[in-house]
Amino acid sequence: MSQYDYDLFVIGGGSGGVRSARVAGSLGKKVAIAEEYRFGGTCVIRGCVPKKLFVYASQYHEHFEDAAGYGWTVGESTFDWPSLIAAKDKEIDRLEGLYRKGLENAGVEIIESRAELTGPNSVRLLKSGKEVTAERIVVAVGGAPNPHAALPGYEHCISSNEAFHLEKLPRSILIAGGGYIAVEFANIFHGLGVQTTLIYRGAEILSRFDQDMRRGLHEAMEAKGITILCHDHIQKVEKSAAGSLDVETMNNGRIVVEQVMLALGRDPNTTGLGLEAAGVETNERGAIVVDKYSRTNVPSIFALGDVTDRVQLTPVAIHEAMCFIETEYKNNPTSPDHDLIATAVFSQPEIGTVGLSEEAAAKKFEEVEVYRAQFRPMKATLSGRAEKMIMKLIVNAADRKVVGAHILGHDAGEMAQLLGITLKAGCTKDHFDRTMAVHPTAAEELVTMYNPSYRIRNGERV
Ligand code: NDP
């Protein structure tokens, strides 16, 4: 008989927490999981899933316009925000139900309460005040939008959390940030008919991506009618008597909008979690420090997902959870593999990417071959839409390995998933060349770029 109440206690019912609890439960362990809000975490409740539903909603007006080129006459269309919110909420409720069911089926005890650490093997449940013990504890409490509290008037601004529940669609919005969330929401709001401005402190949006993707997306967004202000930031936000927001910017004067959204990164949710009581170490960003097996400096406590600030992506948290299970419950020490993570930005057009950008590859390798194609996708011919796709393969000339693949255009995210497999398998450019094209597709371009567009030798384009 164990000296603890549980074999495993998981704090946080998001992607990483639910996966570790569910799989440990199905292995016969005595498991409990505590969640203070809703099961599914950021991804399901106020992140990836509702965001993608919003992306679909925001694309319809272009679909209606494009239909004319294919002989369709679409009658007058209108958009109703409350209907979208209600449909989205219904779907999120369904998914949350599935998450709960998965836990129940695995015999996991579900605790609807905030839980805080009180020691290396103990947790206090805030709702009941009860303290419980566990042999192992997993902290998977995720992150939250950085509120940017130093900004005068930040309290008038929303984050992505509120964007999913706005009572009414604003007529105009200013979005601060140049990362995933800012770019995705700028396209969503614009697509739904909101006058949209994005303000970003750097020279070009999406700072960690390939230059071609960044520039190509910037141009496409501006062509649609989104205003992008680079090299600028918000200095102050004031609410007028009429309810509009008066925004003072550093370089673009005063901007008056109905809504301001801050998308300036996400912080680990570690405040008040009892980490000090348990002796768990955090870094300067408040993230829990873990070793290569997701173990904290306290041997019985582990941390997974966004709270560790390694790579803030749902599939990464799930992978880290599976590695924890392998290591701790299957006697098979497995550390998460964070190399070559394929990712997509659900902007319009999308970006799908895996591996090194041209700039990063040029720094790492002596000689790099860049294969680049830019073309008008077939669908745009009859629709008449002015849009382009960009595809790029980055190849290390020394061993011909494809070290980066980048796509801007429709279904780029879907393609990135498959490219992720090829790069992970270590495919060379010759493997791409030997692969038969699927015709007619946009993706065939990836296997028909036979000659390099240019080379970069010792950092210089030749
Ligand atoms: P990102 O890290 O992607 O972007 C943050 C942005 O805020 C950057 O442009 C950054 O600028 C800017 N910024 C940060 N601090 C300041 C500041 N003090 N003043 C002005 N600008 C600032 O974070 P997001 O919030 O967009 O998203 C959080 C995470 O969620 C992402 O890292 C991603 O991993 C994940 N996510 C993934 C999605 C997907 O897979 N499709 C979708 C949404 C989120 P700079 O670049 O100059 O540092």
Side-chain angles (χ1 to χ4, degrees), residues 47-48 51 145-146 148 160 176-184 199-209 214 232-234 262-266 306 311-315 343-346:
C48 323
K51 179 276 307 289
N146 168 3
H148 210 45
S160 54
Y180 283 87
I181 296 179
V183 162
E184 291 180 342
I199 184 164
Y200 171 54
R201 66 178 172 184
E204 187 56 279
I205 56 173
L206 292 173
S207 56
R208 290 181 291 277
F209 287 74
R214 302 168 67 188
D232 202 359
H233 66 256
I234 299 176
L262 303 180
L264 304 171
R266 295 174 58 86
D306 286 5
V311 183
Q312 296 179 10
L313 293 170
T314 298
T343 173
V345 183
F346 293 100

Side-chain angles (χ1 to χ4, degrees), residues 145-148 151 154 157-160 173-186 189 196-202 205-206 227-230 232-237 247-249 255 257 259-266:
N146 168 3
H148 210 45
L151 172 73
Y154 80 98
C157 307
I158 60 166
S159 71
S160 54
I173 191 162
L174 176 67
I175 302 179
Y180 283 87
I181 296 179
V183 162
E184 291 180 342
F185 270 96
F189 280 118
T196 305
T197 305
L198 186 141
I199 184 164
Y200 171 54
R201 66 178 172 184
I205 56 173
L206 292 173
T227 304
I228 301 181
L229 309 172
C230 287
D232 202 359
H233 66 256
I234 299 176
Q235 288 184 310
K236 189 161 71 170
V237 180
V247 183
E248 200 179 293
T249 68
I255 300 175
V257 282
Q259 204 74 254
V260 176
M261 174 171 158
L262 303 180
L264 304 171
R266 295 174 58 86

